Amino acid sequence: MKPTDNFKKVIQQHLEGIAANDVLFAETLKKPNKSLDECINYIFDTVKKSGCNGFEDQEIFAMAVHYYDEDDIKATSKIQAKVIVNHAVQLSQEDLEDAKKQAMERVIEEAKKDIKLPKIKLNEKDMAEAKTIAMNLAISEAQKKIFEKKKPVSKQIMGNTDEVEESTQGSLF
């Protein structure tokens, strides 16, 4: 498993912090035969060999420093591991909004999966009655739509007055 960017970032920030205050370590950090990825692999390998599942931050940071200090530490193969970093990550406002959106989408999808509507079995008589009710409702809705679209209106001016009378011509029903 590839280490998380957050884990690598925490290790790198720690090493750079030491280098900022220690000129000798700053030079050690620049060794051409050393890299952050190999450092991470060394930490994983050391943790695996220890048989322990949890470490203090300072123990992990000490492994990273040790890797850079010692020239005889060779690169190790990649280790399958799961790392939990308990450092707060500062998200940008955009990242925060995106994370909220993704979380809400996951919650909605999970809720949809949890909803189970009961299956209702109708006997033949109830099924026929439901079909009749549905058909009548559909016909009624269709008639209303047609009536609203085709409602003819005539306007007549009565005598010399400005009154307008509206009347429908015929009926669809």
Side-chain angles (χ1 to χ4, degrees):
M1 174 185 238
K2 191 171 132 178
T4 65
D5 289 336
N6 190 34
F7 181 74
K8 287 174 72 170
K9 185 178 178 180
V10 169
I11 298 296
Q12 184 175 11
Q13 286 175 342
H14 178 76
L15 294 171
E16 289 171 354
I18 294 171
N21 297 316
D22 184 340
V23 179
L24 290 176
F25 187 75
E27 290 303 313
T28 299
L29 200 55
K30 294 178 188 176
K31 289 181 180 178
N33 63 331
K34 301 290 182 170
S35 74
L36 183 60
D37 286 331
E38 287 181 5
C39 176
I40 300 298
N41 288 338
Y42 170 74
I43 292 169
F44 284 179
D45 189 45
T46 305
V47 167
K48 182 180 177 184
K49 287 176 182 175
S50 76
C52 297
N53 291 326
F55 292 84
E56 293 288 328
D57 292 352
Q58 291 308 318
E59 292 175 293
I60 299 298
F61 292 145
M63 291 177 204
V65 171
H66 181 71
Y67 165 80
Y68 280 96
D69 280 341
E70 300 298 323
D71 289 328
D72 61 341
I73 295 177
K74 304 291 182 215
T76 59
S77 60
K78 292 185 178 182
I79 304 289
Q80 292 282 31
K82 181 177 182 179
V83 177
I84 298 172
V85 179
N86 62 355
H87 289 260
V89 177
Q90 296 297 324
L91 297 176
S92 68
Q93 188 62 30
E94 182 179 317
D95 290 339
L96 188 59
E97 291 300 321
D98 189 44
K100 285 180 183 179
K101 181 181 175 185
Q102 289 177 8
M104 184 57 76
E105 289 172 358
R106 282 193 304 268
V107 167
I108 290 169
E109 287 304 313
E110 288 298 318
K112 284 180 182 178
K113 289 177 185 176
D114 291 343
I115 295 174
K116 292 186 180 179
L117 298 175
K119 292 184 180 182
I120 300 172
K121 292 187 178 183
L122 299 176
N123 60 34
E124 287 183 35
K125 179 183 173 190
D126 291 338
M127 183 66 84
E129 186 178 334
K131 285 180 182 179
T132 301
I133 292 170
M135 185 65 75
N136 289 338
L137 183 61
I139 291 170
S140 176
E141 290 297 318
Q143 287 174 337
K144 285 180 186 177
K145 287 180 183 178
I146 291 170
F147 182 72
E148 291 297 319
K149 286 182 183 178
K150 304 243 178 191
K151 186 176 179 182
V153 176
S154 68
K155 297 180 181 179
Q156 299 175 342
I157 298 179
M158 306 296 285
N160 292 336
T161 66
D162 291 312
E163 294 179 22
V164 177
E165 179 183 321
E166 294 185 359
S167 66
T168 58
Q169 302 291 324
S171 175
L172 297 175
F173 304 104

